[in-house]
Amino acid sequence: MKATLRSRCVRTFAAGALSAALLAAGAAGTFAHAAASPKPKPSTSASKSAASITVKASSASVKAGDKVTFTGRTAGMPIGSKLVLQHKKGSKWTTLQASTQVKQGSSYSLEAKLNDKGKQELRIKYDEVTSPSVTVTVK
């Protein structure tokens, strides 16, 4: 009887130790897998490629220092996204001080004062998405 009780205790202890080891290994494996593969981030490149901006200038010709209103619509951009006005200087696009946000209904309106005389090539930009350019002549 003493041997039976003793062997039963040894088996119980062995089963408990084995269960604890398996649980620890499983938990460690789960944490290692979670650390090795970070959570996927929402894809912004797919939404950016589907995004678009239109633009229309209130006037094709203005006097230096006059304001021009740029209006348009966006697609694939969240409401509140910041849009900036850019103009082309040589072969480079430069961001101007004027900015606005996408409103309810995916529209925007942006007012800017144009000072540089000559033909100005302008566009609206959000992140990597740009509108077609519009030309405004400043006299």
Side-chain angles (χ1 to χ4, degrees):
M1 180 135 176
K2 202 173 192 184
T4 306
L5 182 60
R6 185 179 211 174
S7 63
R8 194 180 295 168
C9 286
V10 169
R11 279 188 298 214
T12 304
F13 177 74
L18 182 60
S19 296
L22 288 172
L23 284 172
T30 301
F31 289 124
H33 177 66
S37 60
K39 293 180 182 176
K41 294 179 182 176
S43 175
T44 53
S45 61
S47 61
K48 286 179 190 172
S49 64
S52 65
I53 306 171
T54 64
V55 63
K56 184 178 178 183
S58 61
S59 181
S61 180
V62 294
K63 291 182 181 177
D66 284 356
K67 291 183 180 180
V68 178
T69 303
F70 298 90
T71 57
R73 295 185 107 25
T74 64
M77 290 179 213
I79 294 168
S81 298
K82 183 179 178 182
L83 303 173
V84 295
L85 179 66
Q86 292 187 320
H87 75 120
K88 195 170 189 179
K89 213 165 194 147
S91 62
K92 291 188 175 187
W93 287 97
T94 306
T95 301
L96 300 175
Q97 295 281 341
S99 68
T100 189
Q101 292 183 341
V102 176
K103 296 185 271 184
Q104 189 75 28
S106 300
S107 65
Y108 71 89
S109 178
L110 183 145
E111 194 172 76
K113 188 186 288 189
L114 300 178
N115 296 319
D116 294 344
K117 290 185 178 183
K119 287 190 176 191
Q120 297 288 318
E121 193 173 348
L122 301 137
R123 72 180 184 183
I124 304 295
K125 183 176 182 189
Y126 163 73
D127 208 11
E128 298 299 318
V129 181
T130 58
S131 71
S133 62
V134 292
T135 303
V136 176
T137 304
V138 181
K139 299 177 183 176

